[in-house]
Amino acid sequence: MNEQTLHRQNFLLHLQVRPDYEEPVLLKEPAHEQLTGGQIGQLHNEYAISRQLDDVSGVRPVYTLEGSQSDPVLLLKYIKGNNLAEISQMLALDLQQKLQLAVEISSILGRIHDAGVMHRDISSGNIMVAEDVAPAEVGWVTIIDFGLATTLRQDELAQPVATDAVAGTLAYISPEQTGRMNRAVDYRSDLYSLGVVLYELFAEQLPFQTGNAMEMIHAHIAVQPVPPHRRNAEIPETVSQIILRLLAKNAEDRYQSTLGLRADLERCLDQLQRSGTV
């Protein structure tokens, strides 16, 4: 029985009750009027990567892949809640709540990287916040949509992205992910995208705002974002500096893993809870 049908990018999402499952499941399939080989490949890839991440807390579980090779349907755990972009619009989050979210998202991304996976499409739309789970508890935050994800062993050298192979959500992609820098894409690309997410979370706007694709690509490559604390005076300068480090144009100038990032964010959160300031 279909309870709800949503359209997300080029995919259809159906919330469906199945007798074999205790809770409603989410069915994800290509929108058939726009069916392409890329969409089909993304569903197969999302299934394979998600199964690889079965034991990683904070990743949406995948149940099975139905249909055929050319017409796949993915069965996923339904998360009752909203994505981070919607949460930011719906609720007036205070600094502590934002820092708690930042710490949790960073922790999950770190576990994904530790499992040898690059997400390659980190965005506010791909981070779910459950409405029936208390903050900091298991299941509160979930990273979803692994259709563009890839595995990368540390002993493998990633190849530069071709200029005609840009993948991801344009407002969030790293400079090297644009294909215009002749730079390999590794896990630090996800850290840049996380920087965009945190900028949006704290400053309540994206670092670069344009509807033109080429202007957005140019901004990621060459334009320095306005420091978040200048967008919103309530943002501590220390937090602003953390976000700007994530948004460094060169991967070498960013945090090199989520470990240091999470430690800095946790330190800010601890100071705020202890003294009321960062």
Side-chain angles (χ1 to χ4, degrees):
M1 179 184 71
N2 285 335
E3 297 183 353
Q4 185 179 5
T5 301
L6 303 173
H7 192 282
R8 177 180 170 84
Q9 297 177 339
N10 294 323
F11 296 95
L12 294 178
L13 304 179
H14 309 279
L15 184 61
Q16 194 174 89
V17 174
R18 291 284 189 96
D20 296 338
Y21 297 90
E22 295 182 359
E23 299 177 345
V25 297
L26 192 68
L27 276 64
K28 182 177 180 179
E29 62 181 317
H32 290 273
E33 68 275 9
Q34 301 170 334
L35 188 63
T36 67
Q39 292 166 252
I40 295 170
Q42 283 185 41
L43 285 180
H44 285 286
N45 189 64
E46 182 169 0
Y47 176 72
I49 294 290
S50 297
R51 290 305 300 266
Q52 180 177 331
L53 298 172
D54 266 345
D55 298 327
V56 177
S57 176
V59 172
R60 188 203 333 240
V62 59
Y63 296 133
T64 189
L65 188 65
E66 296 183 339
S68 64
Q69 183 74 19
S70 59
D71 193 11
V73 179
L74 198 59
L75 267 68
L76 300 154
K77 178 180 175 63
Y78 172 62
I79 299 170
K80 186 177 181 181
N82 298 93
N83 64 45
L84 190 63
E86 295 167 337
I87 290 290
S88 298
Q89 293 175 356
M90 293 165 51
L91 304 175
L93 301 173
D94 59 29
L95 180 59
Q96 177 171 313
Q97 291 171 316
K98 291 178 179 180
L99 281 169
Q100 287 175 320
L101 282 165
V103 168
E104 186 67 18
I105 296 165
S106 301
S107 299
I108 297 170
L109 185 59
R111 292 194 289 270
I112 292 170
H113 288 170
D114 287 345
V117 171
M118 292 186 297
H119 189 283
R120 298 207 307 162
D121 195 16
I122 294 293
S123 70
S124 296
N126 284 339
I127 298 170
M128 295 294 296
V129 181
E131 64 181 41
D132 53 354
V133 179
E137 290 190 0
V138 175
W140 175 44
V141 175
T142 305
I143 292 181
I144 65 171
D145 283 7
F146 286 79
L148 299 177
T150 186
T151 58
L152 178 65
R153 299 174 187 167
Q154 290 184 350
D155 59 349
E156 290 179 341
L157 179 63
Q159 298 298 313
V161 176
T163 56
D164 60 350
V166 176
T169 306
L170 196 57
Y172 299 84
I173 62 173
S174 67
E176 59 270 25
Q177 209 171 345
T178 66
R180 270 71 174 177
M181 295 187 68
N182 194 33
R183 291 290 304 269
V185 173
D186 59 27
Y187 55 88
R188 293 172 296 184
S189 177
D190 282 348
L191 293 176
Y192 180 94
S193 299
L194 178 58
V196 179
V197 168
L198 297 186
Y199 192 109
E200 184 180 16
L201 173 64
F202 284 90
E204 299 176 1
Q205 58 183 288
L206 289 165
F208 308 119
Q209 301 180 63
T210 174
N212 182 281
M214 293 308 298
E215 289 180 359
M216 182 65 77
I217 289 172
H218 172 74
H220 284 307
I221 294 172
V223 178
Q224 294 299 325
V226 175
H229 68 279
R230 294 185 185 173
R231 299 280 194 191
N232 182 349
E234 295 180 0
I235 301 173
E237 189 169 348
T238 301
V239 175
S240 185
Q241 291 171 350
I242 290 171
I243 295 171
L244 290 176
R245 183 175 176 186
L246 287 168
L247 290 174
K249 304 301 183 185
N250 294 318
E252 294 80 5
D253 297 328
R254 299 172 202 152
Y255 284 94
Q256 298 302 291
S257 75
T258 58
L259 289 176
L261 168 64
R262 189 178 66 196
D264 284 352
L265 289 170
E266 287 177 337
R267 190 174 297 113
C268 291
L269 179 59
D270 181 65
Q271 289 176 357
L272 181 66
Q273 292 173 329
R274 288 175 178 272
S275 66
T277 60
V278 176

